[in-house]
């Protein structure tokens, strides 16, 4: 099954309302699974544990001066906020399986690219959504300057990437869709 993923669009203006349309968010299958795993951990482990701690602290009496109760309620709000965030992201995201990409000759969302810099150093990155980035783990955002520069490029192409430390020239050596 060939799966072609469009480039991430800029937020287009809604001509009638004058409001911006929501950005379409993409997640790799692995990224969605990581987020789902975190959501389940929060729902099934963290929240019940903190709820029990808050209940125990509330039973101690005066809640206005009870640090355990106040901290527990704050932690519960943080957990609930993260649960809402993850639920909304997972519900509205488009899940992409990189291995199903039809055109493997160019860089699209989900591609794992090998780059070579001017000094001959090779770097490997996977192009992922903004919710999945992990520079130390080799995952960069499709919306980053490097991610945008690499889109639709083929092996052998050279791209210039503007970064805080100055511009760098990178040559695309290999593309994989794992």
């Amino acid at each position: 099954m060939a799966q072609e993923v469009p480039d991430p669009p800029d937020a287009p203006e809604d001509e009638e309302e004058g409001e911006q349309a929501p950005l379409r968010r993409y997640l790799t299958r692995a990224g969605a699974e990581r987020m789902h795993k975190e959501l389940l951990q929060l729902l099934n482990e963290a929240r019940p544990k903190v709820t029990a701690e808050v209940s125990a602290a509330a039973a101690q009496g005066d809640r206005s001066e009870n640090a355990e109760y106040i901290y527990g309620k704050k932690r519960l709000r943080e957990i609930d906020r993260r649960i809402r965030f993850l639920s909304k992201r997972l519900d509205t995201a488009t899940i992409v399986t990189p291995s199903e990409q039809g055109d493997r000759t160019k860089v699209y969302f989900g591609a794992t690219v090998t780059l070579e810099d001017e000094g001959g150093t090779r770097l490997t990155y996977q192009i992922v959504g903004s919710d999945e980035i992990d520079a130390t783990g080799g995952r960069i955002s499709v919306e980053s300057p490097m991610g945008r520069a690499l889109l639709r490029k083929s092996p052998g192409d050279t791209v210039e990437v503007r970064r805080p430390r100055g511009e760098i020239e990178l040559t695309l050596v290999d593309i994989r869709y794992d």
Side-chain angles (χ1 to χ4, degrees):
M1 174 172 136
Q3 176 180 5
E4 189 152 328
V5 178
D7 299 327
D10 293 327
E13 290 282 331
D14 184 350
E15 295 174 12
E16 292 179 23
E17 301 291 325
E19 297 176 4
Q20 287 194 341
L23 284 175
R24 177 177 276 167
R25 297 213 179 263
Y26 293 102
L27 283 175
T28 62
R29 169 98 32 227
E33 287 171 1
R34 280 191 298 275
M35 290 175 78
H36 189 258
K37 183 178 176 181
E38 180 185 355
L39 178 62
L40 290 176
Q41 188 274 332
L42 289 171
L43 286 169
N44 298 329
E45 296 171 27
R47 193 172 195 293
K49 179 183 173 195
V50 173
T51 301
E53 291 171 1
V54 168
S55 295
Q60 294 175 3
D62 187 11
R63 296 176 186 171
S64 65
E65 295 180 15
N66 187 334
E68 290 175 13
Y69 177 80
I70 293 168
Y71 174 74
K73 291 293 281 186
K74 179 181 176 188
R75 180 72 183 122
L76 202 53
R77 283 191 301 274
E78 291 168 356
I79 290 170
D80 287 342
R81 188 176 306 121
R82 184 69 181 166
I83 288 171
R84 280 191 307 275
F85 173 81
L86 290 170
S87 296
K88 184 175 179 183
R89 289 297 168 119
L90 287 169
D91 287 345
T92 60
T94 301
I95 308 297
V96 176
T97 305
S99 61
E100 295 177 359
Q101 176 62 35
D103 180 4
R104 294 171 175 260
T105 63
K106 296 187 184 228
V107 176
Y108 295 105
F109 183 88
T112 300
V113 296
T114 302
L115 306 167
E116 189 172 298
D117 67 10
E118 297 152 338
T121 305
R122 289 195 174 204
L123 310 162
T124 301
Y125 297 106
Q126 183 180 20
I127 311 297
V128 296
S130 59
D131 294 322
E132 302 177 75
I133 59 173
D134 177 11
T136 58
R139 292 188 300 269
I140 60 171
S141 172
V142 69
E143 298 165 6
S144 70
M146 187 181 300
R148 285 191 181 272
L150 289 169
L151 287 177
R152 294 181 303 283
K153 301 296 184 217
S154 299
D157 289 351
T158 301
V159 295
E160 285 187 21
V161 179
R162 184 172 292 165
R163 56 187 190 160
R165 292 182 283 170
E167 287 190 11
I168 186 171
E169 196 170 281
L170 300 166
T171 302
L172 181 59
V173 177
D174 186 42
I175 305 169
R176 292 186 331 268
Y177 288 93
D178 303 325

